Amino acid sequence: MNKIICLFIGCVLIFGGCGPSQEQIKKESMMMESAKNAIEQAKKDILDAKNEGAAELAKELLASAETKLKSADDYFGKKNYEEALKSAKLSSEDAKLAKLMTQSAKAIEKAKKDIEDAKSVKADEIVPDLMKSAEENLSLALKYFEAKDYAK
């Protein structure tokens, strides 16, 4: 009888401590959900960047975002949710930057065209101070764009 009790207690101790705890399961489930949400956000951010025209005006950043998204998907498939989350967040950052870069490039081109249109109707003679200010602002925008400071 003592042998049976000892065997039973031994089995409980051995098999009871082998599986993941409820806390570990909950933590992994939360990490999986966070990674899944981040991957979905990265997909949305990439689509937003593409819709803005980033495939044409911010090819490298968009490609980087797509590569990082693929890595996130790969990590997720391997149940490495922490790395999936990191890669998805980096993908989103690149996609948002690609969108911002595209918007900046479009704004600069529009400003150039507007200045040329204004010059064609002799605005530089009518309102020289205003034209000078517009040209200085365009020059400043180009400087920030070349420095990759798209938020200014």
Side-chain angles (χ1 to χ4, degrees):
M1 180 74 163
N2 281 342
K3 288 182 182 181
I4 294 174
I5 293 173
C6 285
L7 182 62
F8 176 74
I9 291 173
C11 286
V12 168
L13 289 174
I14 290 171
F15 294 115
C18 287
S21 69
Q22 288 293 85
E23 188 176 313
Q24 289 171 321
I25 292 170
K26 186 176 179 181
K27 184 179 176 183
E28 185 171 346
S29 177
M30 289 174 61
M31 184 61 77
M32 180 181 77
E33 192 64 29
S34 294
K36 183 176 144 189
N37 290 340
I39 288 170
E40 289 305 313
Q41 183 63 49
K43 288 177 182 177
K44 180 188 175 300
D45 292 337
I46 288 171
L47 184 59
D48 287 349
K50 284 180 177 178
N51 289 340
E52 191 67 41
E56 204 176 299
L57 298 171
K59 292 176 193 170
E60 291 177 17
L61 275 171
L62 186 60
S64 176
E66 289 173 329
T67 298
K68 289 172 184 167
L69 176 60
K70 182 175 180 345
S71 292
D73 280 332
D74 291 346
Y75 282 126
F76 192 88
K78 294 175 185 173
K79 297 185 180 185
N80 187 342
Y81 304 123
E82 190 173 337
E83 289 302 317
L85 179 62
K86 287 178 188 175
S87 292
K89 286 182 175 182
L90 291 172
S91 173
S92 280
E93 288 175 13
D94 282 354
K96 289 175 183 175
L97 190 56
K99 180 180 177 181
L100 194 54
M101 179 183 180
T102 301
Q103 291 170 332
S104 296
K106 286 180 177 181
I108 287 170
E109 287 307 310
K110 183 175 181 336
K112 285 179 183 178
K113 183 183 179 314
D114 289 348
I115 288 172
E116 289 305 312
D117 289 349
K119 284 180 178 178
S120 72
V121 293
K122 309 273 188 220
D124 52 340
E125 294 173 14
I126 300 168
V127 283
D129 292 342
L130 187 59
M131 286 300 295
K132 182 179 179 193
S133 176
E135 289 173 333
E136 287 171 354
N137 286 334
L138 175 59
S139 178
L140 190 59
L142 285 167
K143 177 182 163 192
Y144 285 127
F145 188 82
E146 289 168 3
K148 298 183 180 185
D149 188 355
Y150 310 117
K152 291 198 178 192

